[in-house]
Amino acid sequence: MKTQTVPAYAKLNLTLDILGKRDDGYHELRMVMQTVSLCDDVTVTLTDGTGVACRVAGAELPCDERNLAVKAANAFCEALGYHGGIDITLTKRIPSEAGMAGGSADAAAVLRALRDLIAPTLMDERLEEIGARVGSDVPFCVRGGTQLAEGRGERLTALRNAPRLYAAVCKPDFPVSTPALFQRSDRVALTDRPDTAALLAALEAGDAAALCASVKNVFEQVLPDEQRARIEDIKRALLVHGAECAAMTGSGSAVFGLFREEDVCRTVCEALRSAELQTFCTIFV
């Protein structure tokens, strides 16, 4: 049996802007996304049987088509006409319902592993096309690094790699509903938008301070009051402990603060960790 284990890296939104609702029901987005070192491990094995089997360690997640890793395997098989058996094992570290693309990262890792095992000459662009059928963040997770994402998030432009920064990621003990936030965004005037152009210029210049000054997420404006207050509390705590900036990632509920030094980032994570708040020290990758 052929097998492959690959990392599935989490992402952070350095910016996230909602430009409006489209005729197809989706929202037009413009955001800068960055992979970080926090990752799941994804092992894919080709078996003698048929169909896709999945096991998950470290989280309570479905193992059927509701799991994006399974959905990705099925999409790959359909696209390439592959009919063999596939076994997937996910070792989860990325928190769920955090805005860190944990499910999409797993799906992208499955696609990369299947490409290596079955069709090693398949181009990245084709893999991203398959990923777009699975979820809006999957193409980014296939590509990784520092990317401008537009459309639903599937239209990517490669950017200069971000300066070396550490992120203290804080995940509070409540989920945020992405569909509910999008619905709320349709009823709220989004007045405090990120300056994506300024962040792109900071990346081009390799200016970490200017990058941090441009980090912003419009979803914070449309959170329900209780959740928004909790997110603001976490942001303040990160800033008090020396973060150069702090923001929610994606539709939440994880919040991150950026630091220049690893030891400072680790100290902050230890100081803020509690029964109600998971913390992770990560680095841009």
Side-chain angles (χ1 to χ4, degrees), residues 122-138:
L122 195 69
M123 300 294 288
D124 283 350
E125 292 79 7
R126 180 67 173 129
L127 212 60
E128 291 169 21
E129 287 175 11
I130 298 170
R133 303 177 197 168
V134 179
S136 297
D137 284 340
V138 178

Side-chain angles (χ1 to χ4, degrees), residues 9-15 31-37 128 139-150 153 155-165 196 198-208 211-212 215 258 283-285:
Y9 291 109
K11 65 88 176 167
L12 297 177
N13 288 87
L14 302 182
T15 64
M31 48 197 176
V32 176
M33 301 201 289
Q34 172 69 48
T35 46
V36 292
S37 56
E128 291 169 21
F140 167 78
C141 293
V142 168
R143 190 179 294 193
T146 312
Q147 305 281 337
L148 174 67
E150 297 174 288
R155 198 167 71 245
L156 301 173
T157 302
L159 303 173
R160 181 176 176 179
N161 289 339
R164 183 182 179 90
L165 289 168
T196 304
L199 193 136
L200 295 178
L203 287 169
E204 187 61 30
D207 188 335
L211 181 154
C212 291
V215 168
L258 297 183
I283 187 172
F284 287 7
V285 294

Side-chain angles (χ1 to χ4, degrees), residues 1-9 40-47 52-53 68-70 72-74 76-77 80 82 85-90 104-124 126-128 130-131 138 141-143:
M1 291 187 296
K2 295 201 298 183
T3 189
Q4 181 91 304
T5 299
V6 295
Y9 291 109
D40 298 338
D41 288 334
V42 178
T43 299
V44 176
T45 303
L46 304 184
T47 70
V52 178
L68 293 185
V70 174
N74 286 327
F76 184 94
C77 291
L80 273 74
Y82 182 76
I86 297 171
D87 184 272
I88 301 170
T89 300
L90 307 179
S104 296
D106 294 343
V110 166
L111 293 176
R112 291 198 306 271
L114 287 173
R115 190 252 306 271
D116 291 346
L117 292 168
I118 297 169
T121 61
L122 195 69
M123 300 294 288
D124 283 350
R126 180 67 173 129
L127 212 60
E128 291 169 21
I130 298 170
V138 178
C141 293
V142 168
R143 190 179 294 193

Side-chain angles (χ1 to χ4, degrees), residues 1-270:
M1 291 187 296
K2 295 201 298 183
T3 189
Q4 181 91 304
T5 299
V6 295
Y9 291 109
K11 65 88 176 167
L12 297 177
N13 288 87
L14 302 182
T15 64
L16 194 159
D17 201 2
I18 303 170
L19 304 182
K21 192 170 184 178
R22 308 186 332 188
D23 292 340
D24 61 5
Y26 289 100
H27 288 74
E28 188 73 18
L29 304 175
R30 192 166 195 247
M31 48 197 176
V32 176
M33 301 201 289
Q34 172 69 48
T35 46
V36 292
S37 56
L38 178 63
C39 67
D40 298 338
D41 288 334
V42 178
T43 299
V44 176
T45 303
L46 304 184
T47 70
D48 294 331
T50 59
V52 178
C54 179
R55 292 183 298 277
V56 180
E60 295 292 329
L61 294 174
C63 289
D64 54 20
E65 188 80 5
R66 292 171 294 171
N67 190 309
L68 293 185
V70 174
K71 189 174 180 181
N74 286 327
F76 184 94
C77 291
E78 180 181 352
L80 273 74
Y82 182 76
H83 302 292
I86 297 171
D87 184 272
I88 301 170
T89 300
L90 307 179
T91 302
K92 294 292 296 178
R93 299 183 191 90
I94 304 170
S96 300
E97 298 179 309
M100 301 185 73
S104 296
D106 294 343
V110 166
L111 293 176
R112 291 198 306 271
L114 287 173
R115 190 252 306 271
D116 291 346
L117 292 168
I118 297 169
T121 61
L122 195 69
M123 300 294 288
D124 283 350
E125 292 79 7
R126 180 67 173 129
L127 212 60
E128 291 169 21
E129 287 175 11
I130 298 170
R133 303 177 197 168
V134 179
S136 297
D137 284 340
V138 178
F140 167 78
C141 293
V142 168
R143 190 179 294 193
T146 312
Q147 305 281 337
L148 174 67
E150 297 174 288
R152 293 185 291 115
E154 84 288 0
R155 198 167 71 245
L156 301 173
T157 302
L159 303 173
R160 181 176 176 179
N161 289 339
R164 183 182 179 90
L165 289 168
Y166 294 87
V169 179
C170 301
K171 171 62 173 71
D173 60 348
F174 62 84
V176 172
S177 168
T178 302
L181 277 196
F182 273 119
Q183 290 174 8
R184 289 175 64 90
S185 75
D186 295 333
R187 305 191 298 268
V188 174
L190 299 174
T191 57
D192 190 17
R193 295 181 178 276
D195 187 344
T196 304
L199 193 136
L200 295 178
L203 287 169
E204 187 61 30
D207 188 335
L211 181 154
C212 291
S214 303
V215 168
K216 188 170 292 185
N217 183 345
V218 296
F219 266 137
E220 294 177 26
Q221 299 174 50
V222 298
L223 288 165
D225 290 345
E226 185 175 345
Q227 293 179 345
R228 185 175 184 179
R230 181 70 174 121
I231 295 301
E232 289 297 326
D233 286 344
I234 297 169
K235 288 172 60 179
R236 278 193 293 270
L238 285 164
L239 294 170
V240 165
H241 282 80
E244 296 197 31
C245 61
M248 188 172 76
T249 180
S251 58
S253 59
V255 177
F256 66 94
L258 297 183
F259 298 84
R260 307 285 185 105
E261 303 296 333
E262 180 180 9
D263 58 344
V264 178
C265 184
R266 291 196 180 280
T267 298
V268 172
C269 286
E270 291 168 6

